[in-house]
Amino acid sequence: MDRLTAARVFVDVAATQSFTATAERLEMSRPMVTRYIDAMESWLAARLLNRTTRRVSLTSAGEQCLPQVQAWVEQAEGLQFQLMGRDEPAGKIRVAASMSFGFAQLIPAVKAFMARHPRVDIDIEVQDRAADLVAERIDLAIRIAADPDPSLIGKPIGRCESVLVASQRYLDGAPEITRPADLTRHRCLGYKNFERHIWHLSRDGRHESVEVTCRLTANEATTLLSAALQDMGVGLQPTYLAQGALARGELVRLLPEWRPKVMDIYALYPSRKHLSPAVRALIDHLADWFADGTWQDIRL
């Protein structure tokens, strides 16, 4: 039985604390995961994991040897990439991204990357929360944020602009919007997990912060876009997601002279150490792809 694969399985189970989760992530059967763990324990002559019907946890021996096994796996993978050649990246990359960005923009960029690098496979984890990159074994996370997690290494790969939108049918039955303060009289569509919904707008050096009322909130942008299309209120949407509906006339842009706060798009990863050529190549590709901002232009 391949010892490197067994070591990878052990490291993954230590992170997921679940044989079933590791089986799904590594695309193997659960009995095969058990066989690899049994083989590791046999080779090291020590019980590495405590198994109960509810959870899996490391034994003291498992905790002691995990860092060394993890380092060995990383060294072996680094050697494999060196032997393959730096100009020919290969392997699997696990990427985490929000549903809206993955749906609207990431797939075209990834398609071009995979066409250029046929030996690289990509597994996209769509989630609208901050993933634990180490525990979930995510190689790269694409996040839109003002201040990214300081514990992660981040490279800005683009800027995310936003736009205020609503359907014409909603606007026909609502008060006129001619200035930011008018938003306080409207039903607005907000992002979940904020006690106060404050939208920041700027124009010609002037800045206004408006606290809006959100009867409907959601944790994901495409859901709020759908609500705007269903005449449910005013939404603050990333331009990369709203531009299609605006171009088709399904939504109307509000206060076009006022600019919502611009956010940075980051490619985040846990550590520079043992960063594979494939991940480096993907980061560089995404930075080039999103650099000029034309992918989110609104031409109306």
Side-chain angles (χ1 to χ4, degrees), residues 1-297:
M1 185 169 282
D2 179 51
R3 297 195 176 193
L4 180 56
T5 301
R8 288 191 180 110
V9 170
F10 168 61
V11 170
D12 198 273
V13 171
T16 64
Q17 298 183 348
S18 167
F19 281 36
T20 301
T22 289
E24 292 174 355
R25 281 154 51 91
L26 300 186
E27 299 179 349
M28 63 178 62
S29 68
R30 192 183 186 288
M32 184 59 69
V33 170
T34 301
R35 287 182 59 192
Y36 276 120
I37 294 300
D38 289 343
M40 278 292 294
E41 292 180 332
S42 176
W43 293 329
L44 296 177
R47 187 170 182 81
L48 304 176
L49 297 168
N50 292 314
R51 294 98 145 167
T52 68
T53 56
R54 293 186 177 181
R55 65 190 297 264
V56 176
S57 61
L58 289 168
T59 64
S60 57
E63 290 179 351
Q64 183 177 356
C65 72
L66 177 61
Q68 297 177 58
V69 174
Q70 195 162 17
W72 177 59
V73 169
E74 291 173 349
Q75 290 169 3
E77 291 176 345
L79 180 59
Q80 287 177 335
F81 283 121
Q82 285 182 8
L83 295 175
M84 289 175 184
R86 289 189 176 272
D87 57 346
E88 190 179 353
K92 177 180 280 190
I93 306 174
R94 284 177 53 81
V95 181
S98 70
M99 181 181 296
S100 64
F101 193 77
F103 168 77
Q105 297 298 332
L106 185 58
I107 288 300
V110 165
K111 177 183 177 182
F113 177 81
M114 296 181 76
R116 185 183 303 174
H117 302 290
R119 297 181 63 186
V120 177
D121 297 331
I122 294 182
D123 176 21
I124 297 177
E125 181 78 16
V126 175
Q127 50 189 227
D128 286 282
R129 58 178 175 81
D132 185 330
L133 304 195
V134 175
E136 299 180 42
R137 299 199 68 187
I138 300 294
D139 299 302
L140 191 65
I142 309 302
R143 292 181 186 161
I144 299 172
D147 299 300
D149 187 339
S151 68
L152 301 174
I153 309 300
K155 177 178 180 177
I157 60 172
R159 303 271 281 170
C160 177
E161 298 181 6
S162 298
V163 62
L164 291 167
V165 297
S167 69
Q168 188 60 57
R169 183 176 299 180
Y170 168 79
L171 294 172
D172 288 342
E176 186 178 11
I177 301 176
T178 61
R179 58 195 179 102
D182 292 335
L183 293 169
T184 61
R185 299 186 294 160
H186 283 259
R187 298 197 310 266
C188 294
L189 308 169
Y191 289 92
K192 192 176 178 180
N193 300 327
F194 290 95
E195 291 184 4
R196 300 173 63 195
H197 298 275
I198 300 176
W199 291 355
H200 303 280
L201 305 170
S202 61
R203 175 189 180 183
D204 301 328
R206 294 169 51 199
H207 302 276
E208 289 201 25
S209 297
V210 183
E211 185 168 3
V212 298
T213 300
C214 299
R215 289 188 60 202
L216 176 69
T217 61
N219 69 333
E220 192 275 318
T222 56
T223 301
L224 296 176
L225 178 65
S226 178
L229 291 167
Q230 293 293 320
D231 316 318
M232 296 183 69
V234 177
L236 179 61
Q237 283 284 316
T239 56
Y240 68 74
L241 190 60
Q243 58 189 352
L246 288 167
R248 293 187 297 270
E250 297 168 346
L251 292 175
V252 177
R253 185 178 183 182
L254 307 175
L255 302 176
E257 68 278 13
W258 288 89
R259 188 184 189 190
K261 186 177 181 180
V262 178
M263 307 284 277
D264 286 313
I265 306 172
Y266 288 91
L268 300 175
Y269 44 98
S271 172
R272 290 189 178 93
K273 188 177 181 181
H274 305 305
L275 191 65
S276 75
V279 175
R280 291 182 189 276
L282 179 57
I283 293 172
D284 292 341
H285 171 80
L286 294 176
D288 291 341
W289 185 274
F290 295 114
D292 62 5
T294 57
W295 51 278
Q296 61 178 342
D297 279 352

